[in-house]
Amino acid sequence: MNTCKPYRTNSTHDAIAGRRLALAVSVASLGLVVSQAQAQESVEDRLSALEQQLAEVEPHARGDQGFSFNTYARSGLLLNSDGKSAPGGPYLTPAGSVGGAVGRLGNEPDTYLEAILNYKSVADNGTKAHYRLMIADSTTSSNDWTAGDGALNVRQAYVEFSNLAGFTGVFEDASIWAGKRFDRDNFDIHWLDSDFVFLAGTGAGLYDVTFSESVKSNFSLYGRSFQDFPSDPDSTDETSDTDNLILTANNYFGNLQWMINGMSAADNDERVVEGVTEAADTGVNTMLAYHGDSFFGIADGNFKVALLHGQGLGAEVKNIGADGNLHEDAASTRAAVYGTTRLSDSWRIAPMIMAETSTDRYVEGDEYQWLTFNTRLANELGANFEMQYEASWQVMDLNTEGYDDRGDVDGDYARFTIAPTFKPQVGGFWNRPEIRVFASYSTWDDELNRYDGGDALGQEDFGGSQWTFGTQMEIWF
């Protein structure tokens, strides 16, 4: 018996082929969808990883996190016309002993440096932490190894917290700090090498308590230590330490600044000064300043002006709380102003005036008066070269009443410096680094030589008119 296979018509074949085709398309489509999903997942993973990397790098790029290094340094030679080392410094004159600086260009014989190490971090809640360590050294030696006569020192070591997650209201933008530091809001006249005000020491503080958009206040407590002193006027064997505590309120009203400092140094009234115990153990100091954003309203640039007054321990109006020898009746008043602007596309000018008067400063009846006028001028002659000029004139009338064996003097000092200067790029007062060569001419009244036999103007081979020459580098970043 013959067995026959089923017979398939053309329509049956077509149906089967169609189903096979549909299945193939479905499988292909499913593969394509899976592949697209995998690709999309891979792209999203890469984007997520990239975003995470950017999130980790961004705080470092902004400077909110990680290590950084800053510095200020200067170093150079100062020689007289015989090729020998010459005395110098911004506080060269008798008035320099009470803060009367005369300018620094072509007048600095030292190597001074600050190495500033910073570490910043950000907590998960957004609070920022900043640790700073500043190491400084100063020497007048020209040798490569100066450990024997240098002055290596830790000048700052503090921690500051900002953007604190738990602070609200007027404290929302505030920061807190503790340790040894320079106050954040010190400001100076750089080319004079004189601060308007310099507040520093060891303590703690609160910055940027914000009462309104234009009204802010800073509060701090600093401690400073005076040198040991005889605690009994009739004995030189026993000594005491005295810590001067400085409570500060620094207030800003737009461009206007009002600073007030109160001081107390327990037992400092036992200090023996010129044979008597009349040193101050309390004091007050205040400053009213204006920070201008133009050159006195007449040209582009900036200016700063300040009026300072202090009594007792506050009579050292610049280095707040730093002088323990001040008389209990000491009183000082200082005024200072400077500005910077351009005279043309290639000429810059920066004039300043500073003056001070003080009475009963160290002993009853003494009087110190001085005034300094200084101007820095620069002519930009190329992409990397400019000529700098500085002129200084100071007049003083110092009646010391014999304090520290100093003589009374009344006279003038004047200096002019020319300094060809090279730099990576000219273009402003604050562009550094610089390499300079210079020549300076100084002249002063002979009477000033009698102030103190140990100072520069009292040296036998440094009197009358002097030429000095040298070279110097200066850098900061």
Side-chain angles (χ1 to χ4, degrees):
M1 177 177 167
N2 294 330
T3 302
C4 298
K5 295 179 180 179
Y7 178 77
R8 297 178 178 174
T9 63
N10 290 335
S11 61
T12 302
H13 282 289
D14 292 342
I16 293 172
R19 285 195 295 272
R20 288 175 176 173
L21 179 60
L23 180 61
V25 171
S26 297
V27 171
S29 298
L30 179 60
L32 180 61
V33 170
V34 171
S35 177
Q36 288 176 337
Q38 291 175 338
Q40 180 67 26
E41 184 178 353
S42 178
V43 170
E44 289 178 354
D45 287 345
R46 288 197 295 270
L47 287 175
S48 177
L50 181 59
E51 289 175 356
Q52 184 177 353
Q53 291 174 357
L54 289 174
E56 294 174 354
V57 170
E58 187 176 5
H60 293 270
R62 290 197 311 263
D64 293 337
Q65 192 162 301
F67 284 98
S68 63
F69 174 73
N70 303 102
T71 192
Y72 170 78
R74 63 176 180 265
S75 181
L77 282 171
L78 184 64
L79 306 173
N80 63 22
S81 55
D82 296 326
K84 300 178 181 179
S85 295
Y91 296 88
L92 177 72
T93 71
S97 66
V98 287
V102 292
R104 67 193 308 173
L105 185 65
N107 195 30
E108 292 178 319
D110 63 337
T111 293
Y112 174 76
L113 64 89
E114 297 170 351
I116 306 167
L117 301 173
N118 304 281
Y119 178 73
K120 296 181 179 181
S121 61
V122 182
D124 291 340
N125 62 16
T127 301
K128 299 177 181 179
H130 177 199
Y131 169 64
R132 169 166 286 184
L133 170 66
M134 176 194 283
I135 299 172
D137 190 21
S138 178
T139 180
T140 56
S141 172
S142 300
N143 294 334
D144 63 321
W145 188 266
T146 58
D149 62 355
L152 189 64
N153 177 48
V154 175
R155 296 202 73 183
Q156 298 193 76
Y158 69 88
V159 169
E160 182 173 355
F161 300 154
S162 61
N163 200 38
L164 286 94
F167 278 20
T168 60
V170 297
F171 300 103
E172 183 176 0
D173 298 322
S175 61
I176 60 175
W177 65 268
K180 179 180 181 179
R181 73 172 299 172
F182 300 166
D183 193 74
R184 185 194 66 183
D185 295 334
N186 294 337
F187 62 103
D188 68 350
I189 306 175
H190 174 72
W191 49 97
L192 197 68
D193 195 19
S194 176
D195 294 87
F196 275 84
V197 61
F198 184 75
L199 177 62
T202 304
L206 175 67
Y207 285 140
D208 297 328
V209 179
T210 305
F211 300 102
S212 69
E213 185 176 348
S214 60
V215 180
K216 297 182 180 181
S217 292
N218 307 327
F219 304 97
S220 63
L221 177 66
Y222 282 93
R224 294 188 64 96
S225 297
F226 298 143
Q227 64 183 359
D228 291 349
F229 62 90
S231 57
D232 181 347
D234 298 324
S235 172
T236 58
D237 296 330
E238 299 179 8
T239 60
S240 300
D241 322 281
T242 299
D243 290 321
N244 188 11
L245 299 180
I246 309 161
L247 184 63
T248 297
N250 210 346
N251 309 287
Y252 291 84
F253 308 89
N255 291 358
L256 187 67
Q257 177 185 359
W258 177 44
M259 181 183 191
I260 185 165
N261 304 282
M263 284 158 251
S264 176
D267 298 332
N268 199 58
D269 55 346
E270 298 178 17
R271 181 183 296 274
V272 180
V273 179
E274 297 299 312
V276 298
T277 53
E278 296 178 348
D281 62 350
T282 60
V284 64
N285 173 286
T286 189
M287 177 185 70
L288 190 64
Y290 187 84
H291 305 267
D293 52 11
S294 68
F295 185 70
F296 303 101
I298 60 176
D300 292 336
N302 73 314
F303 79 92
K304 295 182 186 293
V305 59
L307 179 64
L308 306 96
H309 178 75
Q311 295 181 324
L313 288 174
E316 170 47 63
V317 293
K318 182 186 76 169
N319 293 320
I320 306 297
D323 192 345
N325 288 328
L326 293 164
H327 191 270
E328 59 188 2
D329 296 325
S332 298
T333 301
R334 178 183 293 192
V337 58
Y338 85 84
T340 67
T341 191
R342 284 191 171 274
L343 299 175
S344 68
D345 290 341
S346 59
W347 283 90
R348 311 186 310 266
I349 190 170
M352 62 72 50
I353 299 175
M354 183 179 288
E356 181 178 290
T357 179
S358 58
T359 57
D360 300 326
R361 188 180 186 100
Y362 296 114
V363 295
E364 186 175 358
D366 70 12
E367 187 171 5
Y368 297 80
Q369 296 179 335
W370 56 265
L371 178 147
T372 299
F373 173 77
N374 173 279
T375 297
R376 178 78 68 91
L377 189 66
N379 181 19
E380 301 165 6
L381 298 175
N384 306 112
F385 180 76
E386 64 186 27
M387 293 295 295
Q388 293 193 29
Y389 310 90
E390 185 173 281
S392 292
W393 173 72
Q394 184 181 81
V395 59
M396 67 203 78
D397 184 359
L398 312 180
N399 176 18
T400 68
E401 292 292 321
Y403 171 72
D404 202 22
D405 293 327
R406 295 171 178 172
D408 298 343
V409 296
D410 181 2
D412 296 9
Y413 168 92
R415 180 180 55 83
F416 177 75
T417 298
I418 180 171
T421 302
F422 297 88
K423 55 195 349 178
Q425 183 173 337
V426 302
F429 281 104
W430 318 117
N431 286 17
R432 297 294 187 276
E434 292 183 348
I435 296 175
R436 314 160 181 148
V437 293
F438 55 80
S440 296
Y441 179 75
S442 302
T443 184
W444 58 91
D445 292 339
D446 290 341
E447 183 180 341
L448 301 186
N449 297 334
R450 298 197 298 270
Y451 179 71
D452 183 350
D455 69 11
L457 300 192
Q459 293 183 14
E460 184 176 346
D461 59 348
F462 196 73
S465 302
Q466 292 284 329
W467 276 99
T468 52
F469 308 89
T471 182
Q472 185 188 47
M473 77 84 184
E474 185 179 44
I475 185 172
W476 64 64
F477 60 82

